[in-house]
Structures are given as C-alpha cells and as structure tokens.
Amino acid sequence: MDKDTLQWMGDISPHAVVVVDVLGTIIQVNAKTCALFGYDRNRLLGQAVDMLVPVRLREVHRADRTAFMNNPGERPMGKGRDLWGRHQEGWEIPLEVALVPVTLPEGPAVIASVIDLSVRKDLEKRLREERDEVTVTLYSIGDAVITTGTDGRVQRLNPVAARLTGWSEKEAVGRQLSEVFRIINEETREPADDPVRRCLREGHVVELADHTLLIARDGTEFGIEDSAAPIPRDDHTFSGAVLVFRDVTAQRLANQQLQFLAQRDPLTTLYNRHSFEQHLDAAYHRASRGAERHALIYIDLDQFKLVNDTAGHQVGDQLLVAVARYLHGRVRAGDVLARMGGDEFALLASDIDEDSALALAKDI
C-alpha cells in the first residue's frame, strides 16, 4: 500500500485515522485527527505517537504497541478498559481505537481508527446521576439509546434508535427488547445474546460481541457496536437498563477495505509478498506434520523491461494486470497466487503431488 492510498482511505473514513510505523512514529493523519487532538498536520508528521497519549499512560501504550506489532491482526485496542488521548491543550479525551496492520514500501506499519467517546461517556455518567433527565438526553445525542425496565420491556427509545430499528417510540414502548432490537452474529447468523438481560444479571456494563448485526424491522442490516448498563437505585438494586448503540456499518466496510489493501498488490489485486509468505509459512508447517503436500511455482516474465522501455510503464502495468488475470484463470480453487514484486509471480498449489504440480506449471 502506498501513502496516496493511505491518505485516500483516511479522507473517506468517518473517524480520525493515524498511521504509525514500528518505531511509533506518525507517518500519516487525516483532517479528523487534527480536529480531535488540536494539532496542525505538519506538527504531527514525523513525531512520536506518544504525544497523543497522556503522560501517565505512555508506558502502557508502548507496551500495547509492541505487543500488537509482535502479533499483528485487525482488532480493537484496550478491549475491556478505558483508553485516553491527550489534546494539545492538555485535557484528556476518552477514545476507542481499532488497529489494522499494513505493509508500506518502507516496511510494516499500523493504521489506528480513533473514535471520540466523549459524548458517549458523558451520556453514561448523566444516566447514572440524573435519571430524571433521561428523556431530554435521549433526544439530544447522536447515539441510539433504548431504556428498559428490569422485565426487559422497552420504556424509551430515542429518534436515532427509532431510525435504526424501524420502530417508533410509540410502537416500541411495552414490547420486549428482543422484538425491537433484533441482533445476530454477522459470521454465524445465529441470534446474539441480549445485552440488557446480561447486564442486569451481572450487575455491570457489558458490551456486544464483535461482528454484531442489527436487523431492522424492514430487514435492513446494520453493523453496530453497543453497551448496556444497569440503572441503579439508591438501595443498590436496579430500576432497569440503558442500551447505547451506534451504526458502524461504514467503519466496518472501511476496515475490511483496509485489510484487503494490506493483503493485496494494489495493481493486480493478487496477494502481495507479505501475505504470500504468511500462506507459505502455514503450508510449510502443515506439510512438516506429514498431513499434506504442496508445490511452490515461481513465475518470472522474461524481458519485461523491454516493454516498459519501449511502450512505457502504463502499458507495462496493463500487461501485468493481463498476466495476473490469465494466471488467476489457470489456477485451482484454494491455490494462492501472488505478485512478489516487479514482473515476478508465485503460486502455492495446495494438496498436490509432484506430477500434477509439474503439469500445472507446464500448462501455465
């Protein structure tokens, strides 16, 4: 992935985006990052990302970053605990951060998608301390909010929640939450646990599992993130629960696109060298246990430099795309085809004997 692609992805992201190399140096930010932390873009580029972290948390942040770079993978940062950023003026900002590893021409890096939780944190505090103001609060925030009684029946539902669920407040009040707030696991399509019942049972804030989908009344699906918190009484019992959720469909699509770009060659869309080496390493370990046999086929275009020199790089790129398309049409389902760089390609043929591998190479 190149820096122009990173900048484009940052510009279309609905959240602040910070790109950091393995040493913790900031190499790209978008405009939302500058607005969130109060810095000019030129003031951030080339600086240590620690400047965006409160002093009290910098050692923890460095340890988290090192752990992530040693075991990269798309995942949230600091799951289950509070994360904080530092504004230029010195105040702290509650954050949620999702991390995606990428490979740049300069080496490995990580893209951090940063969400400001200030409004959400303020809401949770107000709901605990000012229950009488719930109705006003519900109608003035950007997140979707549903409140229920201890029996799980809907008591209030704000306009954002109405839009996402497809139920008006008048229609929803009195119904069981499971009827209004239908959620499933995005990957298994199985019903997800009711977060309100769980928070009332466990007595603390709970969050939805990753990859949760909300099924609206008309069947529209929204990727969501949420948390449910019990509403305490003075006698240490609960009067009900508040469910706060937001639509993260665009964010998930952007993260999926980032992950795709991190694994693929931008010209041919075949796997890149880094991804191919990961597949090759996994295949080697499977074969070393004697369970499977695989073949590695290396493909090089002879005299490709002549094309670039005589017809230009644009024509050369067109040729590479055509070759990639041709090769992709010759390989079997489950095989891994990659552009290793320049005019070099590689094919990992899975679960194949030597004669069949030779025949495949000859056919190509």
Side-chain angles (χ1 to χ4, degrees):
M1 183 187 299
D2 57 30
K3 290 187 177 180
D4 289 339
T5 302
L6 282 178
Q7 184 64 53
W8 174 75
M9 293 303 299
D11 290 341
I12 67 170
S13 174
H15 306 297
V17 173
V18 183
V19 185
V20 180
D21 66 16
V22 292
L23 299 178
T25 303
I26 300 172
I27 56 179
Q28 191 63 273
V29 296
N30 64 356
K32 296 180 181 67
T33 301
C34 299
L36 177 60
F37 293 97
Y39 286 98
D40 180 81
R41 182 172 181 271
N42 292 331
R43 176 70 179 83
L44 292 174
L45 296 182
Q47 301 299 313
V49 72
D50 285 353
M51 68 188 299
L52 302 180
V53 180
V55 175
R56 64 184 179 87
L57 297 176
R58 287 178 182 175
E59 288 189 11
V60 175
H61 177 266
R62 293 184 193 116
D64 285 346
R65 188 174 69 243
T66 299
F68 178 84
M69 296 307 295
N70 289 336
N71 182 27
E74 182 183 0
R75 63 172 184 260
M77 183 177 179
K79 188 76 170 178
R81 58 183 173 83
D82 290 339
L83 295 178
W84 297 88
R86 183 184 185 276
H87 191 273
Q88 183 185 22
E89 299 296 331
W91 68 74
E92 295 188 1
I93 310 165
L95 302 174
E96 181 174 294
V97 181
L99 304 177
V100 178
V102 294
T103 301
L104 302 178
E106 299 85 351
V110 59
I111 298 175
S113 178
V114 183
I115 302 172
D116 180 4
L117 297 183
S118 300
V119 174
R120 183 173 176 179
K121 291 289 186 181
D122 288 344
L123 170 65
E124 292 173 353
K125 182 178 180 180
R126 288 193 64 188
L127 287 176
R128 287 193 301 269
E129 298 177 353
E130 304 291 344
R131 291 195 299 268
D132 292 341
E133 297 181 7
V134 167
T135 301
V136 174
T137 304
L138 292 181
Y139 280 80
S140 64
I141 66 169
D143 284 343
V145 181
I146 300 175
T147 62
T148 75
T150 54
D151 59 359
R153 295 187 182 276
V154 175
Q155 294 180 340
R156 292 185 179 88
L157 177 142
N158 77 343
V160 181
R163 176 178 60 81
L164 292 177
T165 62
W167 291 83
S168 69
E169 184 172 33
K170 182 178 180 180
E171 294 172 314
V173 169
R175 296 180 183 270
Q176 284 292 330
L177 178 68
S178 58
E179 185 178 357
V180 176
F181 186 68
R182 294 176 53 212
I183 51 176
I184 63 172
N185 182 283
E186 183 176 19
E187 298 176 342
T188 66
R189 308 297 295 184
E190 294 294 324
D193 290 339
D194 183 336
V196 164
R197 290 190 181 279
R198 183 181 162 198
C199 83
L200 290 173
R201 181 176 65 250
E202 298 179 6
H204 59 75
V205 176
V206 301
E207 296 183 355
L208 275 180
D210 295 335
H211 308 294
T212 298
L213 287 179
L214 168 66
I215 311 298
R217 194 175 184 180
D218 63 0
T220 303
E221 297 183 359
F222 297 97
I224 63 167
E225 293 179 349
D226 90 337
S227 64
I231 302 174
R233 294 190 179 101
D234 293 336
D235 62 358
H236 304 295
T237 61
F238 303 124
S239 62
V242 56
L243 176 68
V244 183
F245 59 100
R246 64 176 180 273
D247 179 9
V248 294
T249 306
Q251 178 188 347
R252 286 186 184 171
L253 289 175
N255 286 341
Q256 289 168 6
Q257 181 69 6
L258 287 173
Q259 188 176 38
F260 177 84
L261 292 173
Q263 296 174 343
R264 300 285 176 163
D265 169 55
L267 177 63
T268 63
T269 72
L270 299 180
Y271 283 108
N272 58 26
R273 175 185 288 270
H274 177 69
S275 296
F276 185 80
E277 289 174 348
Q278 290 180 322
H279 283 284
L280 184 62
D281 185 61
Y284 170 79
H285 287 291
R286 292 198 303 272
S288 66
R289 295 194 295 268
E292 301 173 1
R293 296 186 66 187
H294 312 290
L296 172 63
I297 301 174
Y298 178 78
I299 305 162
D300 179 66
L301 304 185
D302 291 341
Q303 302 182 31
F304 177 73
K305 185 175 183 298
L306 291 177
V307 178
N308 284 334
D309 291 344
T310 58
H313 287 276
Q314 184 175 1
V315 173
D317 287 348
Q318 292 174 355
L319 176 59
L320 289 172
V321 171
V323 169
R325 187 180 302 116
Y326 170 81
L327 292 175
H328 190 269
R330 310 296 289 186
V331 303
R332 309 168 307 158
D335 291 345
V336 179
L337 179 64
R339 180 188 177 200
M340 304 300 284
D343 59 357
E344 301 170 349
F345 298 83
L347 170 64
L348 175 61
S350 302
D351 196 17
I352 191 172
D353 58 50
E354 185 174 351
D355 290 339
S356 299
L358 288 171
L360 176 59
K362 183 178 180 180
D363 180 55
I364 291 175

